[in-house]
Every structure is written in C-alpha cells, then in structure tokens.
Amino acid sequence: MARTGRPRGFDKAGAVRQAMGLFWELGYEATSLTQLKAAMGNISTASFYAAFGSKEALFGEVFDLYLASHGLVLASLRDTRLPPREAIERAFRLSARMQTDPAHPTGCLLALSLNTCSPENRHIRAQLAAERDRNRRALQGCVKRAVAAGELPPGTDAAALAAVFNTFLLGVSLQARDGVSLSSLEAAISQLLATWDALASTVKARRQKRKS
C-alpha cells in the first residue's frame, strides 16, 4: 500500500531539492501538487501544507536554494576584485557548464520556470524578472568598471553592451534545453567576447598612436 502520510524523519531540505528539479524541468504552473507530493515520498496533502504552507511558498524556498547553489555560477559578475572581462568570461563559461550538466534539468530555472503565466502568478514572474535584471545590472557594472579603468573606450554604451551580453546569457538557457552541446556554447562565448576585445583594441591603438 502506498504511503499517504508524512514519513517519519521527513527531510524538508531534501524535499525542496526534489521540488527544485520539478519546477526546473516542468515550470512552475505545470508542476502539480500531486507530482510534488510524489517526489517527496508520497506525503499527504495535509503534510505538504504543514511543511510548506503553499505551492507558492515552496517555490520561494526553491528560488532561494537555486540562487545559493546553481545560481552561484554568476557570482563573479559581482566580484570587483576580478578584472571585468575575466568576471564576465568566468560567469558565462560556468553558466554554460552548469546549464548543460546532465545531473539536473538543462537550462536556467530563472529563465525557464515561469516566462508566461496566468494573471494570479504574475507576481512570481516579476520576482524572477527582477533577479534576471539584477544580473543584467551586474553585467553593466562590469562594463562601467572597464570603461573607468581605461580598458574599454570612454564612449562605450555600457547599457547597450550589457544588454547584448545579457541577451546571450538568457539565450543559453534555450540552447541548453534544445540540446546544444557545451563545446558549441563555449565557442559562442569566445566569439561574443571577441566583441569586447575589439573595443579594447581601439583603446590600445590610441595609446600607441599617442606614444609614436
């Protein structure tokens, strides 16, 4: 007979990890309470609500867990001790590696779990959009640091260049979900960073011209 109650020694942290896999793979709205309870050991509905309060509250815990684990691949974007280009390259390559890792669902939970939704869940979509915007602003901060340090030309449009990089970063999620290989994504990252290097080369050329 299948268990219907909450198992003894219920592992709440483990249950949140299981829920993260479901939300990541299926999306927030497509993940049902039945699937969540089954993944947690066939706990009862009463036990589920006792442990988490609601599906939305559980997703909040999943959101926090994702940022504290898989989401750390973008931490270098906020590390001002790193040179800006290195910070961006490290974030992109770690993100591509994480998003293509077969040990968990492919892509990025923040990008894929709730893009379109019913009106009652728009506040959750806004929460995810805010985190994605935080990453965009971190990219913009890297560009601004590079301009201030003289690595990029003073006329560089930091917002536009950050938007280019952020658009690529979000696109990696769809590419990874579609099965594009890590090697292909790595090559694309190198090509994208060539844009940065081309801008940086104009600064070097100007310096050499002034010296001659």
Side-chain angles (χ1 to χ4, degrees):
M1 179 181 296
R3 292 176 297 172
T4 57
R6 177 169 169 174
R8 289 185 179 182
F10 177 69
D11 180 7
K12 183 176 180 180
V16 174
R17 288 194 296 272
Q18 292 296 322
M20 180 170 67
L22 285 173
F23 287 134
W24 195 344
E25 178 67 30
L26 305 176
Y28 177 77
E29 290 194 337
T31 301
S32 69
L33 180 60
T34 299
Q35 290 170 315
L36 290 167
K37 292 188 300 177
M40 296 174 185
N42 290 321
I43 63 173
S44 68
T45 300
S47 294
F48 175 88
Y49 285 116
F52 301 107
S54 66
K55 175 183 172 182
E56 180 180 334
L58 170 59
F59 186 76
E61 294 193 38
V62 165
F63 178 80
D64 291 339
L65 174 61
Y66 184 85
L67 292 182
S69 54
H70 302 286
L72 290 178
V73 293
L74 300 183
S76 62
L77 295 177
R78 300 172 181 86
D79 188 348
T80 56
R81 296 169 299 177
L82 293 173
R85 187 191 184 286
E86 179 182 340
I88 291 174
E89 181 170 15
R90 181 179 299 186
F92 278 25
R93 295 197 186 282
L94 288 177
S95 183
R97 197 172 305 152
M98 182 276 288
Q99 294 192 56
T100 55
D101 188 343
H104 52 67
T106 53
C108 171
L109 182 144
L110 299 179
L112 298 176
S113 62
L114 197 68
N115 288 322
T116 58
C117 63
S118 53
E120 60 266 27
N121 289 322
R122 285 176 180 167
H123 61 292
I124 302 178
R125 183 177 65 181
Q127 179 186 19
L128 296 175
E131 182 61 28
R132 293 194 296 267
D133 186 62
R134 195 169 82 94
N135 292 331
R136 180 194 59 77
R137 287 185 280 110
L139 282 164
Q140 186 170 332
C142 287
V143 177
K144 287 182 176 180
R145 283 200 298 121
V147 173
E151 182 179 345
L152 293 178
T156 301
D157 188 333
L161 187 56
V164 169
F165 286 132
N166 192 51
T167 299
F168 175 87
L169 184 61
L170 292 174
V172 168
S173 292
L174 293 177
Q175 295 286 292
R177 182 58 60 94
D178 287 346
V180 174
S181 68
L182 175 59
S183 60
S184 294
L185 293 174
E186 290 272 14
I189 290 168
S190 297
Q191 187 64 42
L192 179 64
L193 289 172
T195 302
W196 179 292
D197 296 336
L199 288 170
S201 68
T202 64
V203 175
K204 295 177 182 179
R206 289 172 186 172
R207 288 174 180 167
Q208 291 175 350
K209 186 175 181 179
R210 285 197 297 265
K211 290 179 180 179
S212 60

